[in-house]
Amino acid sequence: MHIRRLEVDFGSKLSQRAMSALDLERGDLEHLLWDRVMHRELVGSGKDVLVEKTPSNAFVHRRIRDCWPDARFVFLLRHPVSIARSWHEGDPGKRTFDEAAADALRYMKAVENARNAATGGDEHHHTLRYEDLTATPEKELRDLCAFLGVAFEPSMLDYGRRDDTQVVKGLGDWRDKIRTGQVQRGRPLPAEDEIPELLRPMCAAWGYST
């Protein structure tokens, strides 16, 4: 939903003064806006839990926690080289693999910072690996559902095909694997000598390399 990009601006100094008198600064108003949008979608869905998956949320994990103190965080880790390759293949004309690796590393560092800052005990955050999720999806999803307090449903493994109006670049994964409607196995892990020096520290931090 790219919700962190929804911003509030004051149209005049009077409006700013009025909001300040209510102890509402710009960040507070943005949190109110974020919360209202999320609440609208949750009510419209008829569900009990709303999941927001935007990679760049990692950059504002503290604000998200401030906005929703009871939010639960799911950290999905993947081999850093696989992430870089996926970013490169998503738009090869836009960036080389090396550029994709450097760009993706910013996100990985943000995820790692969010993981290190996670508080509230295990009941507020859950970590799983992409490779495990694609290899044994039912087991991983059952564990994830237990963490979220929702019932596992077999349809989670066969989530149906999506047409071009439902799978849009920038609003979710749009590539062929997603369009199959079924969980696909991940790509083979790279060999040690295929790991660029730039990504080696993150590989080690996430347990993918010694």
Side-chain angles (χ1 to χ4, degrees):
M1 294 174 68
H2 302 279
I3 201 163
R4 77 183 184 106
R5 297 300 188 185
L6 294 180
E7 300 176 348
V8 169
D9 196 10
F10 296 107
S12 70
K13 290 184 178 180
L14 282 176
S15 66
Q16 184 174 6
R17 286 173 55 193
M19 292 300 100
S20 293
L22 298 176
D23 292 325
L24 292 172
E25 302 302 330
R26 177 178 174 179
D28 303 312
L29 293 169
E30 287 174 345
H31 288 175
L32 288 172
L33 173 60
W34 295 0
D35 190 65
R36 183 65 187 91
V37 171
M38 298 285 271
H39 180 262
R40 175 182 180 273
E41 293 309 303
L42 183 61
V43 171
S45 73
K47 304 291 185 178
D48 298 319
V49 177
L50 188 150
V51 178
E52 152 62 357
K53 187 201 80 69
T54 302
S56 62
N57 282 348
F59 290 109
V60 291
H61 63 92
R62 289 184 177 84
R63 285 198 65 183
I64 289 174
R65 195 180 300 277
D66 288 342
C67 185
W68 297 290
D70 295 328
R72 283 167 286 183
F73 292 78
V74 178
F75 297 109
L76 178 62
L77 307 185
R78 188 181 186 185
H79 196 294
V81 174
S82 297
I83 295 175
R85 286 175 176 169
S86 179
W87 278 45
H88 170 61
E89 294 165 2
D91 198 344
K94 182 177 181 180
R95 56 176 78 90
T96 66
F97 171 77
D98 289 341
E99 290 171 338
D103 204 15
L105 184 59
R106 292 175 51 249
Y107 281 85
M108 292 183 239
K109 288 180 176 179
V111 169
E112 187 63 5
N113 288 337
R115 290 180 68 212
N116 291 335
T119 58
D122 291 342
E123 72 274 11
H124 281 85
H125 61 272
H126 178 80
T127 298
L128 69 160
R129 293 180 183 273
Y130 176 91
E131 294 82 6
D132 295 337
L133 180 62
T134 57
T136 55
E138 182 172 344
K139 174 185 179 301
E140 295 299 324
L141 284 176
R142 285 186 180 276
D143 289 345
L144 179 58
C145 287
F147 163 70
L148 295 174
V150 300
F152 171 80
E153 298 178 15
S155 60
M156 293 176 179
L157 301 174
D158 186 9
Y159 47 86
R161 296 180 180 273
R162 299 290 188 266
D163 61 34
D164 289 339
T165 65
Q166 297 169 297
V167 185
V168 181
K169 184 175 182 179
L171 300 180
D173 201 327
W174 69 97
R175 285 164 287 192
D176 290 340
K177 283 187 177 182
I178 294 297
R179 294 176 189 277
T180 66
Q182 294 182 321
V183 178
Q184 304 290 302
R185 291 190 70 89
R187 69 179 78 207
L189 293 183
E192 282 287 319
D193 60 3
E194 295 179 294
I195 302 175
E197 190 65 33
L198 179 72
L199 297 180
R200 286 185 178 274
M202 191 58 66
C203 289
W206 287 0
Y208 284 103
S209 172
T210 57

